Amino acid sequence: MKTWNFTFADEYNDWGWNSVQARGVKSAVKKAEKWVAKMGKGKWTLNVNSVNCSTATEKMLLSNFY
């Protein structure tokens, strides 16, 4: 299992990110879509192109909050 990062946004260009555990990219996209649908209640949209398992991306995303 790998940690996959993803970003999501709303119509006002507010955005956020989270991560899921999955074996492959297809599974990661499905889990991310499920998470966004559950947590966003229709307000958020997954940026499918942002799904990745890069530790550098995760560090960059975390640095936005320090």
Side-chain angles (χ1 to χ4, degrees), residues 39-56:
M39 300 305 287
K41 297 183 172 93
K43 178 181 176 184
W44 302 101
T45 304
L46 173 67
N47 298 327
V48 177
N49 293 333
S50 72
V51 177
N52 69 76
C53 61
S54 168
T55 56

Side-chain angles (χ1 to χ4, degrees), residues 14-64:
D14 290 335
W15 68 280
W17 71 276
N18 207 335
S19 59
V20 293
Q21 295 286 320
R23 290 181 191 243
V25 68
K26 288 181 183 180
S27 178
V29 168
K30 285 182 184 180
K31 288 181 177 184
E33 286 175 338
K34 185 177 178 180
W35 185 91
V36 169
K38 180 181 176 184
M39 300 305 287
K41 297 183 172 93
K43 178 181 176 184
W44 302 101
T45 304
L46 173 67
N47 298 327
V48 177
N49 293 333
S50 72
V51 177
N52 69 76
C53 61
S54 168
T55 56
T57 302
E58 184 176 18
K59 287 180 182 179
M60 184 273 304
L61 289 167
L62 284 170
S63 71
N64 288 327

